[in-house]
Amino acid sequence: MRIDVVTIFPGYLAPLREALLGRAVGTGLLDIAVHDLRDWTHDVHQAVDDAPYGGGPGMVMRPHVWGEALDDVLAADPRPARLVVPTPAGRPFTQAAAHAYAAQERLVFACGRYEGIDQRVVDHYAASMPVDEISIGDYVLVGGEVAVLVVVEAVARLLPGVLGNPRSAAEDSFSDGLLEGPAYTRPEVWRGHAVPEVLRSGNHGAIARWRRDRALERTAERRPDLIAALPPDALDEADRAL
Ligand SMILES: Nc1cc(-c2ccc3ccn(Cc4ccccn4)c3c2)[nH]n1
């Protein structure tokens, strides 16, 4: 998979070169290119923003610089691409979206700043390619770069060969629609807190049941919306007895 990121703060994307993702890039599983939007400005001030039409606070990113940048970035590789634009007003980014993105040959991320990017940029490219405006949560960041780090990590970990243990991606939170339950490791007792007995019993059936019960309890308590969204046949009799 090839990932391009266009931003006025390329340094913000440095974490993509670290650890797991850094190794994925090094082994060729992932090809990441970060581009400085200001490379496509022509004025001495390298202006990328201007006052919003209709008034209002802050500035908006000008369309012409984005158009020149995205035209060049898209033309640099023949693979079909999906343009992803983080915004507080976007559709929620979910694990399902991460799986969909992991199947893409190429993702191009446009990182806005200020109050966002002139809407005509999204409208223009949506006429010729898939474009997603996505939100990573109901809070407002200062720009799109952190959202791109989140999305790239969530997607890259699903790519075959990126995670050491492929099982963890298949079995992680949300894969069965529930939150992950509690996890424990040595020592057996830490500051007076013992590991739940069942986890040391070797009884795999009882362990699976206990883990499912803890996941159901945690999900019901923290994310009742996920319980409500489960398909009718998702909960068995033992689940309902909880
Ligand atoms: N889930 C998310 C995504 C973002 C996000 C993504 C891109 C940009 C580009 C600019 N801003 C700041 C900003 C502030 C106020 C209104 C509009 N935009 C961004 C914020 N915040 N929270």
Side-chain angles (χ1 to χ4, degrees):
M1 173 187 287
R2 171 165 171 162
I3 291 177
D4 289 87
V5 186
V6 183
T7 167
I8 58 172
F9 293 117
Y12 242 96
L13 282 302
L16 292 180
R17 310 280 172 209
E18 295 295 318
L20 191 89
L21 290 187
R23 269 200 306 279
V25 172
T27 53
L29 278 170
L30 204 47
D31 178 18
I32 299 182
V34 179
H35 311 273
D36 186 340
L37 179 69
R38 293 194 198 277
D39 291 350
W40 284 273
T41 59
H42 307 296
D43 62 306
V44 67
H45 301 296
Q46 296 195 305
V48 292
D49 63 304
D50 202 339
Y53 274 114
M59 305 291 270
V60 175
M61 300 189 94
R62 306 174 69 182
H64 71 289
V65 182
W66 274 105
E68 289 193 27
L70 290 174
D71 285 352
D72 283 357
V73 167
L74 288 165
D77 189 301
R79 282 174 284 189
R82 175 175 291 270
L83 177 62
V84 181
V85 185
T87 164
R91 288 180 197 283
F93 177 71
T94 62
Q95 189 65 14
H99 280 284
Y101 285 3
Q104 296 284 320
E105 290 185 71
R106 191 182 181 201
L107 296 172
V108 176
F109 289 92
C111 294
R113 281 269 155 168
Y114 307 99
E115 297 300 305
I117 302 171
D118 185 301
Q119 189 62 40
R120 289 170 292 181
V121 174
V122 161
D123 298 346
H124 172 75
Y125 288 97
S128 58
M129 66 186 293
V131 178
D132 291 341
E133 293 182 90
I134 59 151
S135 164
I136 60 164
D138 293 339
Y139 37 79
V140 184
L141 302 168
V142 181
E145 288 79 6
V146 167
V148 169
L149 289 174
V150 166
V151 173
V152 170
E153 179 162 312
V155 171
R157 67 185 288 278
L158 298 175
L159 299 177
V162 171
L163 277 187
N165 171 5
R167 269 167 46 106
S168 38
E171 297 175 9
D172 62 7
S173 272
F174 304 101
S175 58
D176 59 1
L178 299 178
L179 299 181
E180 207 82 33
Y184 303 86
T185 187
R186 288 179 296 184
E188 250 180 67
V189 181
W190 175 72
R191 294 188 181 181
H193 306 284
V195 171
E197 185 70 33
V198 65
L199 296 180
R200 295 185 297 112
S201 69
N203 178 337
H204 297 294
I207 290 170
R209 182 69 258 164
W210 184 89
R211 283 178 165 163
R212 172 87 176 168
D213 288 350
R214 299 299 75 73
L216 283 162
E217 273 172 358
R218 178 175 280 188
T219 307
E221 197 257 329
R222 296 179 184 177
R223 292 291 305 276
D225 57 303
L226 293 179
I227 297 285
L230 289 172
D233 59 350
L235 300 179
D236 64 28
E237 210 172 306
D239 294 338
R240 295 184 191 284
L242 188 65

